[in-house]
Amino acid sequence: VDCEVLAIGTELLLGQVVDTNSAWIGQQLAAAGIPCYEQTKVGDNHGRIVAALRAALGRGSDIICCGGLGPTQDDITREAIAEVMGVELRRQPELVARLKERFAGREIPEINYKQADLPAGAVPILASAGTAPGLVCPVGANVIYAVPGVPSEMREMVGGSVVPDLVRRSGRQATIRSRFLRVWGMTESRVAEVVAPRVEALEAPGSNTTIAFLASAREGIRVRITARASGEDAEAAALQALDKEEAELRALLGEAVGGVDDEGLEVVVGRLLTDYGLRVAVAESLTGGMVSARLTSVPGASNWFAGGVVSYGEDVKRSLLGVGPGPVVSEHAAEEMALGVMDVLNADIGLSLTGVAGPTSQDDQPVGTVFVGLAGGEGSGTGSGVRNSKADVTQLSLRGDRQLVRERATTQALDLLRRQLIEHPRPRHS
Amino acid sequence: VDCEVLAIGTELLLGQVVDTNSAWIGQQLAAAGIPCYEQTKVGDNHGRIVAALRAALGRGSDIICCGGLGPTQDDITREAIAEVMGVELRRQPELVARLKERFAGREIPEINYKQADLPAGAVPILASAGTAPGLVCPVGANVIYAVPGVPSEMREMVGGSVVPDLVRRSGRQATIRSRFLRVWGMTESRVAEVVAPRVEALEAPGSNTTIAFLASAREGIRVRITARASGEDAEAAALQALDKEEAELRALLGEAVGGVDDEGLEVVVGRLLTDYGLRVAVAESLTGGMVSARLTSVPGASNWFAGGVVSYGEDVKRSLLGVGPGPVVSEHAAEEMALGVMDVLNADIGLSLTGVAGPTSQDDQPVGTVFVGLAGGEGSGTGSGVRNSKADVTQLSLRGDRQLVRERATTQALDLLRRQLIEHPRPRHS
């Protein structure tokens, strides 16, 4: 059986809030192997919610309803489901008790009592204390699930109760686990080419593991491994399958694999710097602080991030960082910036970026030309980088508008730093 | 007649891409006074697209289809609409000619010719050169519009052709124009309170102007004015009504109104600095480069942005910016940072931020405590700021997690700079 998603809320139709819940639920359903053929948004209107539910049931689908479980007059999901089920709402004593616990002695506003009402025959989903319950509502052979629209509550209930119930009802009795490998410094098509042997191997009959790709300018490429297992030790078997496939993919992708799951480049770089006891300083021109901002988004960054200089104007490059005569968008300027910032901020490694974000060219260089300098590591090894005795400089040609060039330059500079740390972990001053 | 939105693409159901197009279209429909009661996502599946179109037509609705107009095998929106219309696809010579123009002499891949096919009876929407045409497809009394899923192309066609056609067909023959006033430094409920007299005035019979509010942490509060006019000089009348209401709202909101439409704080600050011929330098601790990154997102920022120092580690604050002994999260440190960065980067104005982003407290200050320093302007005037002869410091208490505190501190610091420039435009060194 497939499962549709019905997002409820007039603010979604007016575009005041973008419906990200449905996309997240879609990801979970896909990872669990449950087909999702349609996702709908309707406003806080009884007749339209009822019609949308009936239409989905008419297609033979299960439904996850998202939103409309709060205490206000707008929140009418319970009533609409009761009408579709052909039953009354009944106040549940155990939910009233829970409500009293939540209000901890304070008077419960009359309006809140409706959160203790369930359509007859429905079962509550009780998530963390303090939130309204979700609903599991059988309708013939199908089920309508209802969860709150608040993303954190929705995620807890869908991930913890709804998807497992859908999987159980599908008769597969399977455990499904996913893991993301984060890949940087390769194009999506190159990644696909490199891991093609694994895609092929996993298509063999009896395989319970799949891989898929997701790409974005900021997040790099994420390779998702999904493993399904059943039986008594299903959990352990699924995790073992993930470990096995991760090892296979790492053997093919090598150091292009930076992090796992939610680890961004900045987290990986921070961990490597911590491991080696090094501190980095950053000099930025075209990215104007974006590299430093990403590094400092990691809690505890002060242990491995010395600081940064945003040398946007030419005079700052020359006076503070000691960049000599000649064009400031150049290999030479990138080198001097990296050495300069390492020196001025007393760091072990200096990372620099100078380039042309657009909209117009500069120093006879076209938009998208970026020089990334790395000082303090020994030797070269930074891709197509130019070697010399003082700092490695890599020239990039990036596509896109001003914001995209800045975003891509930031990501690539962090990846160059990551690769430098993997290959040449010793600081120059050690 | 209402208008539904049908977003087409399997990647939307899988959650690999969040459907922001529907939200944007919802905003446009709302601004034009066209009701939108339902928005649906389906995959690249002929039968399901046809069923979704028929269901919407069965509800008596017009439909905007988004996506599936490209040249690949996945792109089947044209075929699905033709089936619903009960007609064949026909190759249009003028669209073939346009295709040839687009390929400029290069051979046209066979697969691309389908972009010159239209359901019989449909009219193409020709947007900028280089994009596939959209479709206007009459079905009985209703119309199915089809536009590409690429956001820029979608926006051009929906804003330029589809919404005007819907308005025209609604028989209102009205021209509808909207304008956003950008408000910073006030809560949403305070804005609502201040402009309440205007909301009331606009509810009077015969009023063709409305206002609405949208709030976000990064963008501040946007007050949307929408004016409707009809008759011969409808365009001029609508713009006149916008001008009049903008003046009324500005009289109430004063300098809380920073920009108009797409102008972010960084654009407004840049314009003020340009007007006064001043250059600002920024010293950032907890925001780690975010203020500089926002300022340098504006093309031409080098004319008014001297540069920045990300003084994340304590030693950088002391050595480079000359912050003396004592806690670095303090009013005094903020003052010294602002003066220090102004001096080191030879700027007219120094802006500084030091504070606690979390997750743990620092220098006995709780998470969310932020000091913003402003040096170089004469006098005080920065809200609840503490005055002294050298730099103004404002203390903020911000809520939220680490990322939200950093985001809010960035926005508030830029707003304090904006207000300082409005009130005391003369530099200290002038």
Side-chain angles (χ1 to χ4, degrees), chain B residues 327-405:
Chain B
V328 292
V329 177
S330 67
E331 185 190 320
H332 190 63
E335 185 185 358
E336 290 178 313
M337 286 169 66
L339 291 165
V341 79
M342 185 173 75
D343 194 41
V344 168
L345 299 188
N346 193 28
D348 306 300
I349 295 177
L351 173 65
S352 70
L353 299 93
T354 180
V356 190
T360 53
S361 60
Q362 192 189 341
D363 289 347
D364 292 329
Q365 299 283 359
V367 171
T369 302
V370 178
F371 296 92
V372 178
L374 263 170
E378 288 173 340
S380 85
T382 54
S384 58
V386 174
R387 265 192 88 145
N388 64 50
S389 61
K390 293 166 116 184
D392 286 336
V393 177
T394 304
Q395 180 172 350
L396 309 171
S397 294
L398 305 174
R399 283 174 311 149
D401 62 13
R402 181 178 174 85
Q403 196 51 31
L404 213 47
V405 166

Side-chain angles (χ1 to χ4, degrees), chain A residues 48 67-68 71 90 123 139 144 175 201 217 221-222 254 264 269 283 308 313 324 338 342 359:
Chain A
R48 293 199 187 91
R90 286 193 200 145
V123 175
V139 190
I144 302 174
T175 292
I221 296 159
R222 286 175 293 171
V269 163
M342 184 172 76

